[in-house]
Amino acid sequence: MSQQQQNWFARHKVLTGAGALVVVIAIGGALAGGGGDDDKDKSKDTVAQGATSGGGSKSGDKGGDKPKAEPAIGGDGTFQVGSDVKPGTYMSTDNTDGMCYWERAKDSSGETDSLIANDNVMGNAYVTIKAGDKIFKSNGCKDWTAVPAKASGTPKSEVDGNGGMYRIGADIAPGTYKSTGNANDATCYWERSKDALHGIDSIIANENVSGNGVVTIAAGDGYFKTNGCKNWKKTS
C-alpha cells in the first residue's frame, strides 16, 4: 500500500458514536480526503457578510443568469475570526487538485491542541466557523463564499462521486442513491452529516464502500460527503 493510500485511509475511518474525532493535520502537500450545516445556535453564529440567497440584485444580470456571490474569505491565508472573517457557514467549490486544506483553531499558537477541526478537500467544501473560534486557515483552496442559513437552490438527483460535500436541499435532493462499480480496495467513502462543524458529533453515518454502494439521504440531513466513488444516482 502506498503512502498516499495510507494517508487516505487514516482520514476515512468508519466512525461510530463511540469513536474518537479524526483530526487531519496538513503536512506539506497533504492529499485530499473527502464533512454539515450551520451551527444550531443561530443567536451566536449569524450568516456571514456576503451571503446570498440565490436571488440577489438583478442589476447587470443579462440573459437571466444569477449574479455570482462575492468571495468572503481568500483561498490562502490565516484569518482572525471576528475581525478578518465573521462567524457563519462558507463554501469553496471546484477544488480539483486535492491540495485544499482548511483549519478551525481556538488560538494562534499553531500547536496540535489548538485544532478544533480541519480537512483536506477534493471537490466542494463547506465549513461553519463559530463565534468562539479564533483562527481560520485556508491553503490551496478556491475562495470561500458565505452561504445563507436556509438551504435553497435546485438540488440534483445525480452527483459526482468524487465531488466532496453537497448541501441537502441545495446541491442534492433527499432520497436513496446508488453508486455502482467502485474499486475493490474500498477507496469509496461517503458520509451523512448534520452540520458543517466537522466534529465527531456532526457525523450521522458513514462508510468505506467496496463494489456497489447504497445510501438513503434524509430530508433532515445537513450534508452528504463523497470521495473516490462512482457517481451517485437517485433510485427512489
Side-chain angles (χ1 to χ4, degrees), residues 121-146:
V121 175
M122 172 66 81
N124 301 330
Y126 285 87
V127 60
T128 296
I129 300 171
K130 295 187 67 176
D133 296 356
K134 299 300 182 183
I135 295 292
F136 179 72
K137 293 183 180 180
S138 176
N139 289 300
C141 304
K142 297 294 179 65
D143 288 344
W144 298 83
T145 56

Side-chain angles (χ1 to χ4, degrees), residues 57-77:
S57 172
K58 295 293 182 180
S59 59
D61 182 13
K62 298 180 179 179
D65 293 335
K66 295 179 181 179
K68 294 183 178 180
E70 291 297 323
I73 312 174
D76 290 287

Side-chain angles (χ1 to χ4, degrees), residues 73-143:
I73 312 174
D76 290 287
T78 299
F79 307 93
Q80 291 183 304
V81 179
S83 57
D84 300 327
V85 57
K86 296 179 181 296
T89 299
Y90 298 84
M91 66 180 296
S92 175
T93 61
D94 299 324
N95 294 288
T96 57
D97 59 6
M99 300 304 292
C100 169
Y101 171 81
W102 65 258
E103 177 183 310
R104 293 170 52 216
K106 61 185 179 182
D107 57 48
S108 57
S109 68
E111 298 178 3
T112 302
D113 289 344
S114 70
L115 281 174
I116 299 172
N118 61 353
D119 201 4
N120 289 310
V121 175
M122 172 66 81
N124 301 330
Y126 285 87
V127 60
T128 296
I129 300 171
K130 295 187 67 176
D133 296 356
K134 299 300 182 183
I135 295 292
F136 179 72
K137 293 183 180 180
S138 176
N139 289 300
C141 304
K142 297 294 179 65
D143 288 344

Side-chain angles (χ1 to χ4, degrees), residues 157-175:
S157 58
E158 180 177 353
V159 295
D160 186 348
N162 200 40
M165 286 182 75
Y166 297 98
R167 193 176 188 187
I168 312 305
D171 306 320
I172 185 173

